[in-house]
């Protein structure tokens, strides 16, 4: 049975939810929060819940986009998730609409981590080719892949052998995508593990921006590196040195906030100050750690900065050859936890799309009128009311080792109650 | 029938939801998103939805707090909402738990806006006294009231006569609360319309912090002033000049981010840099404008800054004597829209309480171990990985009129596709 953007509330009413629970307490047998709610709530109640949760005006669902039958057939065959929505914007009198079609791909690895590295890479390319072809055939203008899409997310192991996967910005995976970008006249954002051969083989976590003519427009290196849970990324690479670039592409101004950077409101802000209209957040994150934060941070960034956000998380559970401990006192184990997918788009008007599956590979497409960004700036005036001078001053003072916080203590703090 | 924190999923299963819709598209007949979901989903599905939406570990509900029967009886009699939860935190080996009981009050005005101003004030005091007595009897340590609680939210009218409600920091409403603070050994945060008689009768939007001995600890003035919808607040008062103070009280370090300041991540950040453990967000906001943003911004602030957030919104619809237009091309009308209540607490671990009613006055109480703040700082390391030097520099440059955004343009931008 096809499970795509064409399914209606009625069609998914047959979803049964298994009471069996995973290690992280989640239950099995459903695809996403959206399908769980739509399958189990009466339509008028689901409408009200959608109004509150998805920020949909009067609870009216986002319009669906019709996709080519060939694309739907291929995704059905592979049991990939496929959803496509159109955000709403006002018509303006002095500017034509600036509608772009944007795609996000989430995927599991294609071979076990025990397979030969070369085979693992080839298998991922093969799977991705199929999904990128589908995006191209669907008329996607800008496509973003997940963080370090060309390898397993092996940083939990602390083993340096996985660095073999790292490539220069103009390496094999970039060349693979350049061909597809040119073929489909499509901008592709490719987050890879980068090997900087011109700087002593330094490793970075980098997004390569490939233009719609297949040219490399530039790169951005991940600004904030986690040291939490099994995300031992600081063992592999350091904080990026590329600032907060916004890439002016044929279709719009885009930027990339890689993974853990989504926890840093200042990182989101900086891309906004530089004029981003769409910020991608290619990620790899697991359920027990971050799932309740996942829909919050991206939507907050879209609202606060008046731009669109495309959030991508990989899917599946990756099991590694050698067991490792996780600094939590628990016995050694060989997997990272469940990458819960749930890729989605957030808009500056606080609306968002439903999320892709928590379990399946998928392609999410959305049409968005980039005029909406300025419309929301004009409406809410966040930039004008932001008083940046206060914060430039505060941060400059805070940086000093002898910073004294502004604290007003109750002079009666140590008086006993009468 | 009593609708309090003691109700279980089963007890509220008899909630019927009316299909009639309000002007803003919301449906009638339900109290909050939480009750809507719990009444309409099977328990194991509600549990999974709670895990995702409320950030509850394994979907396990927050523990309820038992409140005095006398308090429950009074709230039942007045059909006020009453809910009380306890957040979870780890036990530490070198620090004792630092549990405080915190309360939020949301209320509608007590008399029509056409009543004599003096009668309106007296009626609000009378209603608030009852609710504050209940908080005191429930052992609340820190209590926060809603924005400009001592008057209708009249800024939609642009009429200056409402400035009569403004009071000095040590004025009538403060004296009213000082007595209650001392009686109940309770810190009270009182957001008022302030008249600064020592500076030429300047009007401010101010929170007065009253210590548990009834003393005035200090004040904070709203930093960011909206110019959106019917929020003509810049007609009445200017941006605050008190910085981002954190008040060290007998029970913990608190700060106040007043209303529209919640849209500014830098404002939240500044209170965090100054060491806040709980930040209150007393607000007045209406459904059509902000309801889908309401749960996002507060939770994001709690996550990003590793502190608790207490969000308060007034309830009800306030109708004014003289009709006014709203700059939206629609005919004149006399009301501001529906203040949707929905006050709630957010915790630094991404969990949150259910919200108070969208329609009824209410008191929300929560026990929180302030040790959780540092536990989350140690876990996630957001402060250490924040690279503030990048942003101090960026903001300093951005302030200059000739700031040039960091934009990398595709050199093939104007090349036609092959």
């Amino acid at each position: 049975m096809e499970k795509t953007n064409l399914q209606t509330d009625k069609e998914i009413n047959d979803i049964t939810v298994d009471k069996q629970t995973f290690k992280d307490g989640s239950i099995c047998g459903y695809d996403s929060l959206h399908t769980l709610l739509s399958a189990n709530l009466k339509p008028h109640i689901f409408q009200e819940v959608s109004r509150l949760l998805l920020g949909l005006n009067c609870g009216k669902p986002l319009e669906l986009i019709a996709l080519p039958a060939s694309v739907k057939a291929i995704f059905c065959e592979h049991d990939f998730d496929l959803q496509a929505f159109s955000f709403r914007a006002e018509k303006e009198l002095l500017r034509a609409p600036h509608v772009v079609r944007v795609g996000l791909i989430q995927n599991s690895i294609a071979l076990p981590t025990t397979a030969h590295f070369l085979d693992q890479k080839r298998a991922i390319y093969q799977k991705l080719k199929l999904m990128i072809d589908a995006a191209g055939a669907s008329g996607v203008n800008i496509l973003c892949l997940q963080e370090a899409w060309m390898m397993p997310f092996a940083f939990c192991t602390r083993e340096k052998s996985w660095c073999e996967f790292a490539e220069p910005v103009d390496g094999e995976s970039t060349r693979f995508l350049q061909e597809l970008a040119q073929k489909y006249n499509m901008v592709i954002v490719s987050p890879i593990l980068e090997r900087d051969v011109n700087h002593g083989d330094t490793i970075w976590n980098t997004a390569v921006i490939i233009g719609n003519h297949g040219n490399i427009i530039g790169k951005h290196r991940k600004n904030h590196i986690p040291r939490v849970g099994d995300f031992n990324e600081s063992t592999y690479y350091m904080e990026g040195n590329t600032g907060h670039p916004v890439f002016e592409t044929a279709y719009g101004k885009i930027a990339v906030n890689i993974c853990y950077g989504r926890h840093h409101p200042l990182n989101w802000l900086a891309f906004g100050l530089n004029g981003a209209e769409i910020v991608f957040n290619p990620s790899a994150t697991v359920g027990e750690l971050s799932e309740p934060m996942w829909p919050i941070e991206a939507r907050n960034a879209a609202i606060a900065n008046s731009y669109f956000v495309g959030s991508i998380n990989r899917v599946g559970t990756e099991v590694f050859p050698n067991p490792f401990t996780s600094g939590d006192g628990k016995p050694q184990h060989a997997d990272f936890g469940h990458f819960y997918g749930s890729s989605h788009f957030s808009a500056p008007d606080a609306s968002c799309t439903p999320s892709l599956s928590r379990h399946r590979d998928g392609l999410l497409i959305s049409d968005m009128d980039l005029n909406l960004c300025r419309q929301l700036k004009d409406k809410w005036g966040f930039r004008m009311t932001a008083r940046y001078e206060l914060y430039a001053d505060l941060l400059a003072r805070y940086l000093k080792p002898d910073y004294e916080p502004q604290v007003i203590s109750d002079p009666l703090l140590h008086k006993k109650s009468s």
Side-chain angles (χ1 to χ4, degrees), chain A:
Chain A
M1 182 196 159
E2 188 182 359
K3 292 171 189 161
T4 72
N5 60 311
L6 294 184
Q7 66 188 174
T8 64
D9 287 352
K10 265 195 189 155
E11 284 165 356
I12 52 175
N13 262 329
D14 60 352
I15 289 176
T16 54
V17 175
D18 194 335
K19 290 193 189 188
Q20 189 195 333
T21 57
F22 288 118
K23 213 167 53 177
D24 66 359
S26 68
I27 54 175
C28 316
Y30 74 100
D31 216 38
S32 72
L33 176 62
H34 190 82
T35 56
L36 190 63
L37 291 173
S38 67
N40 287 283
L41 292 172
K42 287 174 195 142
H44 73 289
I45 294 178
F46 178 67
Q47 182 179 327
E48 177 68 0
V49 168
S50 295
R51 186 184 74 82
L52 294 168
L53 290 185
L54 302 184
L56 298 179
N57 195 9
C58 300
K60 203 177 145 198
L62 294 177
E63 208 178 305
L64 299 179
I65 301 173
L67 298 179
S70 59
V71 169
K72 292 193 286 184
I74 288 170
F75 270 57
C76 182
E77 184 191 326
H78 289 83
D79 194 28
F80 291 163
D81 195 6
L82 178 64
Q83 302 189 45
F85 305 94
S86 183
F87 283 109
R88 288 183 276 265
E90 297 293 325
K91 284 258 161 60
E92 297 185 22
L93 296 177
L94 298 181
R95 289 198 303 184
H98 180 178
V99 178
V100 295
R101 181 163 292 187
V102 188
L104 310 175
I105 287 176
Q106 67 176 34
N107 61 278
S108 53
I109 52 177
L111 280 183
T113 60
T114 46
H116 191 290
F117 283 3
L118 202 57
D119 295 333
Q120 288 190 52
K121 281 172 67 166
R122 281 185 188 142
I124 292 181
Y125 285 6
Q126 192 175 8
K127 184 197 277 197
L128 263 288
K129 168 110 181 23
L130 191 151
M131 300 180 87
I132 297 169
D133 280 338
S138 302
V140 165
N141 302 125
I142 308 174
L143 178 69
C144 186
L145 308 182
Q146 70 195 17
E147 184 183 22
W149 64 270
M150 22 60 82
M151 62 180 287
F153 208 73
F155 311 120
C156 48
T157 66
R158 301 194 309 283
E159 299 163 356
K160 292 296 175 96
S161 53
W162 302 97
C163 292
E164 275 209 62
F165 278 95
E167 302 175 20
V169 162
D170 58 356
E172 188 182 2
S173 71
T174 302
R175 289 194 300 274
F176 162 69
L177 295 174
Q178 283 179 289
E179 199 174 310
L180 293 165
Q182 186 167 30
K183 176 172 180 187
Y184 293 114
N185 195 26
M186 182 162 68
V187 171
I188 301 182
V189 178
S190 169
I192 63 170
L193 190 67
E194 181 199 350
R195 179 177 293 281
D196 183 1
V197 292
N198 293 336
H199 289 86
D201 276 308
T202 299
I203 306 282
W204 303 99
N205 185 316
T206 300
V208 182
I209 286 65
I210 301 168
N212 57 312
H213 297 290
N215 55 312
I216 298 172
I217 300 178
K219 63 176 179 289
H220 173 60
R221 291 172 175 155
K222 183 170 175 172
N223 273 327
H224 301 273
I225 311 295
R227 290 113 164 113
V228 59
D230 273 339
F231 292 84
N232 304 307
E233 298 176 44
S234 64
T235 301
Y236 291 86
Y237 42 80
M238 307 292 284
E239 280 72 12
N241 59 356
T242 50
H244 296 87
V246 166
F247 300 94
E248 188 180 19
T249 74
Y251 304 111
K253 292 184 173 175
I254 66 173
V256 196
N257 179 345
I258 305 177
C259 197
Y260 180 79
R262 75 184 178 280
H263 305 302
H264 288 281
L266 283 165
N267 201 36
W268 290 109
L269 172 71
F271 295 117
L273 296 184
N274 285 329
E277 294 165 316
I278 309 168
V279 180
F280 295 101
N281 177 228
S283 298
T285 184
V286 292
E288 216 163 340
L289 190 69
S290 69
E291 195 163 1
M293 301 153 75
W294 180 245
I296 301 290
E297 293 160 313
R299 287 184 67 192
N300 190 75
I303 294 166
N305 298 291
S306 307
Y307 53 49
F308 289 91
V309 173
S311 304
I312 313 171
N313 184 22
R314 61 172 66 201
V315 276
T317 303
E318 302 180 358
V319 180
F320 291 92
N322 305 313
F324 51 87
T325 56
S326 296
D328 55 5
K330 292 181 186 161
Q332 65 175 13
H333 54 108
D335 74 284
F336 201 127
H338 176 63
F339 294 104
Y340 53 80
S342 307
S343 303
H344 61 100
F345 285 107
S346 308
D349 65 357
S351 66
C352 67
T353 67
S355 296
L356 284 182
S357 170
R358 295 182 71 251
H359 305 286
R360 295 184 294 143
D361 297 348
L363 168 64
L364 177 63
I365 295 175
S366 187
D367 282 357
M368 47 189 76
D369 183 348
L370 300 184
N371 283 356
L372 189 64
C373 302
R374 199 180 78 177
Q375 288 173 17
L376 267 292
K377 286 178 184 172
D378 286 350
K379 176 178 178 182
W380 279 101
F382 294 150
R383 285 277 175 270
M384 288 191 291
T385 57
R387 308 185 73 187
Y388 294 116
E389 69 284 2
L390 289 185
Y391 303 101
D393 174 64
L394 172 66
L395 288 174
R397 286 186 288 113
Y398 181 81
L399 284 173
K400 296 182 183 157
D402 62 353
Y403 173 69
E404 290 219 7
Q406 184 186 358
V407 176
I408 299 174
S409 290
D410 184 348
L412 305 182
L413 206 54
H414 302 295
K415 183 187 166 188
K416 288 240 168 98
S417 293
S418 53

